[in-house]
Every structure is written in structure tokens, then in C-alpha cells.
Amino acid sequence: MPMTPPPNQPPKVPRPTPVPRVSSPLISRLVERYAGELHRLQGQLDDLAATGLPFVEAGQDGRSTVTFLYRQRQALDSVLLFANRLTDETQLAQTLLDPIEGTAYWFAAFEMEDDWRASYCFIPTPAGARPSWQDAAGHNRLRAALDAGEADPYNARVCPNRGGNLLSVVELGSAPSSAYPLSHQKVEQVSWVEAGEELPAYSLLRVGEPGPQAPLVLIFDGEVWAEQGLPAALRRAVAAGALADLNLVLVHSGGREQRWQELGANSPLVGTLAGPLMDRLRQEHGLSPRPERTLLAGQSLGAMASLIGALSYPEVFGLALAQSASLWDPTAQQILEEVGQGELSPAHRQLELVLECGRQEWVLLEPNQHFFRSARELGFEARLEVFNGGHDYACWRASLPERLIEFFPAYPV
């Protein structure tokens, strides 16, 4: 049985199924063909890397073999592939790369379904050194060590993680995508309103030419989404006539530690947004959104807070988007059941709850499915979309613009 985690920290549960590691047909062919000709093998690997990595070989039944390659620049003892929710943080050795003897390359291959997407990086350990991830005790320190890895220099697809480090992205051919992709290279400067200790810092952006009653989107971890390029992507969607003009409020997290404190169980932050922040948006910025056009959105802890906010203040937030909600914490489920004990209020009956969760999120998928089923049984309007990926900005940002267009199309049908 997994140990009970400290407050505000997810449980560390091993993968329920083995890492789908396989032999690489590509590497096997090259090694066999150039046996005894290591300089030619090295040259072939160099040419292969120059075409773009990782290398994908189509298989059968909607699956492909994905081969990751890493070229060392100095003598190494090991190279860890950290691929979001492919790598098991309780058994990191399962995604250590193997050296290709006589060359500068290391490799590992995995059989994945063709709609898979994940961010990844490499963590090399110089010869004679101790792996950085081996001494990282605790969830936050381990994640910090893993998230500081190197992007794949042979992959042009990248995505910033929460700390701003660029990670590479692997996405197979059937992975869903957005017509308005986010880009860290299309980031606009935003100004943060510091409204005193009673309110979080926030930034109000007018996307298009929204009026006072235009749709309002409040999104947690706003500083992260600013750096991901969300505002620019939404402006393109509005300009293309796909998304309605809207007001976007980026809610600043205050940093990693404050985020854990304010988005966990019994957080006062959702009440602050529903009360003082909404009052300020009305009084200082002239907004007067209707609840059925006011969306509270978030990811991970922010996703759980979005569900809690909508359930607790349905007269303010009529819509919630929860991407990979941290429902290992039972708070949202408990509030859902408490609200559903009696007859739903008119405001609760009008709520629309949209959840997303990855098939690779073995800790979160079942509680998200349970929340969805419970919500539907209690009479809530709820939807759950399951994608083939993990707890990953590479996945969340691929669907976020499309979800907002679904909520607020430019020309509602």
C-alpha cells in the first residue's frame, strides 16, 4: 500500500502497468548492418538525428515504436529519459537509456499508441558523478531535479514547463491538436495588478473588442499561461472568427510554495475570486459578466480549485474547465456530494463542468472518472474528455484554445 502523502502532496503510486519498453527495430538494423564499422555507424546515427527526433516507426493496431536518442558531449555514466507519465518517478531506472557501444549515442524505445503526446527531457550524469535525481528527497525536490533536464537538440517541438525550462515534445500522428497552437515565441508582455494582500496579482486582457457583458475567463497560474503564449493564441482565434471577443483574467499563482498553500483543500482563494476580485472587476474595470458566460479554468491544483469554485459559487462561475484536476485530494468530491444531497439550486442546475484527464495519469484518471459519474448522477451538466498523455502542459495547451472556442464560439449555434 502506498504511504499516506504529506498534506497538499499527491501520493506516489507506481505505474499500474510496466513501462512499454521494447527493442528498437531501427537501432537493431543499424547495429547489425554496420557491425565492425563503428565510424560508419556513428555517421549513420548523426544523419538520422539531423532529420529530427525521436524516430517513429509505424506498427500495427494503432501503435508505433518511438526511439529516443541522446548524443553525449562528454563521458557519461548514465542518461535518464524523463518523459511525462511514461517515466515512473518511483522506478526511474525503467527509462534509463542504453549506450550504443562504440558511438556517442544512447537510446531507448517504447511502443505507444498513435495518439500519444508528452513533454520530455534528458538528464545525463557525467562519469564519476552521482545522478541529480538520486538524492532528491520529497515530491517537490524530485520534480525540480527532473524538470531541469535538457531538451532534445534534434527536436524542434518544445514547450516550457512551469519553471520556464524548455522541454521537448513528442506527439504522434493521431494526437489531437489546435488550429490556434500556443507558442512560447509569441508571448506578449502583460501588466500585473497588485491589489494588496487581500487579492492575488492579476492581469486583465481584452481579447478582441469585448463589451462589459462579454464572456469572462479567469485562469489560475496566469503567469505560466502568459509565458506559454495563451493570449496571442486566443487573439488569433478571435481574429479568425472562431472565438468570441472575451475578457481574460490571468490569476498569478504567487509562486510554487504559495500555490500549494492556496489551491489545496480549504483554500480561501476561490472565495476571494468570487467576492473581492469580481467586485474589483466590476468597479474598477467596468465588467458585468453573467454567470453562464463566466468560466473558471485551471490545471492540476488549479483544476480542482475551478471545480470547487463553480460548485461553491455557481451564481458567479457558471462554467468550469478542469484539466487534470488533482482529485487525489477529496475536497472537490466531498463538496460535490454535499451540494447534491438535496435538490439542486437553479444556479447549480445551470452549471457546466468540463473535465479533462490523461490516460497516462494513473493516479488521477480514476478519481476524475468517479467525479464525472457522480456529477452526472446528481443531475449536473458534466463532461469528461480523456486524452492520451499525462500531467503535462504539452497536453493542456494543445486542447485549451479548442475548449474555450467550445464554450464561447464567435457565432453560437
Side-chain angles (χ1 to χ4, degrees):
M1 293 291 292
M3 296 179 62
T4 301
N8 282 339
Q9 293 200 7
K12 283 294 182 186
V13 179
R15 279 183 66 99
T17 57
V19 171
R21 189 159 182 166
V22 295
S23 62
S24 171
L26 167 72
I27 300 302
S28 296
R29 289 194 303 270
L30 290 176
V31 169
E32 181 178 358
R33 180 174 180 179
Y34 296 104
E37 299 180 275
L38 295 181
H39 67 287
R40 295 191 63 189
L41 176 59
Q42 174 75 39
Q44 288 295 312
L45 292 170
D46 288 339
D47 291 344
L48 175 68
T51 66
L53 295 175
F55 189 81
V56 178
E57 295 175 274
Q60 297 180 341
D61 301 322
R63 305 180 72 86
S64 295
T65 299
V66 183
T67 300
F68 294 88
L69 286 173
Y70 180 84
R71 193 183 197 283
Q72 68 180 33
R73 297 180 295 276
Q74 59 177 316
L76 300 176
D77 278 346
S78 68
V79 180
L80 174 67
L81 168 70
F82 179 49
N84 192 288
R85 294 307 186 270
L86 172 66
T87 299
D88 182 347
E89 293 174 24
T90 71
Q91 303 177 61
L92 290 171
Q94 293 184 357
T95 53
L96 283 169
L97 274 60
D98 294 324
I100 302 177
E101 297 298 336
T103 77
Y105 284 91
W106 300 66
F107 83 103
F110 306 88
E111 186 180 60
M112 306 301 296
E113 295 172 306
D114 288 338
D115 57 350
W116 178 56
R117 174 185 280 113
S119 62
Y120 71 94
C121 61
F122 298 111
I123 305 177
T125 299
R130 187 170 176 82
S132 60
W133 42 268
Q134 204 164 58
D135 295 324
H139 172 78
N140 290 345
R141 289 185 61 191
L142 176 60
R143 286 306 305 232
L146 297 176
D147 287 343
E150 300 176 9
D152 188 340
Y154 301 105
N155 185 350
R157 296 182 298 275
V158 293
C159 169
N161 63 12
R162 178 175 176 78
N165 188 39
L166 284 184
L167 305 180
S168 297
V169 177
V170 52
E171 48 188 21
L172 303 191
S174 297
S177 60
S178 173
Y180 308 98
L182 276 64
S183 171
H184 73 286
Q185 295 176 327
K186 296 180 179 179
V187 174
E188 61 184 70
Q189 295 296 317
V190 299
S191 299
W192 297 98
V193 177
E194 301 284 351
E197 295 183 0
E198 72 281 2
L199 286 177
Y202 69 92
S203 181
L204 171 61
L205 302 180
R206 316 277 185 166
V207 183
E209 299 180 358
Q213 291 190 321
L216 172 63
V217 176
L218 300 97
I219 188 165
F220 291 104
D221 299 306
E223 77 280 15
V224 178
W225 286 110
E227 291 302 315
Q228 292 279 350
L230 177 62
L234 297 187
R235 294 191 196 284
R236 292 197 301 275
V238 167
L243 178 67
D245 296 354
L246 55 81
N247 292 297
L248 174 66
V249 175
L250 304 171
V251 181
H252 202 292
S253 72
R256 185 185 297 269
E257 294 304 320
Q258 183 173 329
R259 180 177 185 270
W260 277 101
Q261 295 171 5
E262 293 196 348
L263 292 181
N266 304 315
S267 166
L269 183 57
V270 291
T272 300
L273 299 190
L277 180 58
M278 290 298 293
D279 289 343
R280 185 178 181 90
L281 293 176
R282 295 185 186 98
Q283 296 165 10
E284 299 291 329
H285 302 287
L287 304 189
S288 54
R290 302 193 302 271
E292 66 270 20
R293 291 163 67 82
T294 301
L295 170 68
L296 191 57
Q299 298 71 36
S300 191
L301 287 173
M304 181 179 71
S306 296
L307 294 173
I308 292 173
L311 290 169
S312 302
Y313 303 96
E315 70 283 356
V316 178
F317 309 116
L319 307 167
L321 172 61
Q323 296 181 294
S324 300
S326 296
L327 298 184
W328 51 265
D329 183 315
T331 305
Q333 181 70 35
Q334 291 168 353
I335 293 174
L336 174 70
E337 293 173 0
E338 290 170 4
V339 170
Q341 284 179 355
E343 183 177 353
L344 295 182
S345 69
H348 279 115
R349 285 197 295 270
Q350 294 298 314
L351 275 182
E352 184 177 352
L353 309 175
V354 177
L355 293 84
E356 292 184 358
C357 195
R359 295 208 299 273
Q360 309 296 333
E361 297 188 85
W362 60 87
V363 171
L364 294 183
L365 183 56
E366 192 283 328
N368 272 265
Q369 291 171 327
H370 179 59
F371 184 97
F372 162 70
R373 290 192 299 266
S374 298
R376 293 297 295 267
E377 290 168 1
L378 292 170
F380 288 92
E381 180 68 30
R383 178 161 58 101
L384 171 63
E385 299 288 345
V386 178
F387 57 87
N388 189 2
H391 207 70
D392 196 344
Y393 278 100
C395 297
W396 300 331
R397 73 186 206 153
S399 65
L400 183 54
E402 301 304 318
R403 293 284 175 256
L404 296 183
I405 291 170
E406 290 172 6
F407 280 116
F408 307 120
Y411 302 102
V413 178

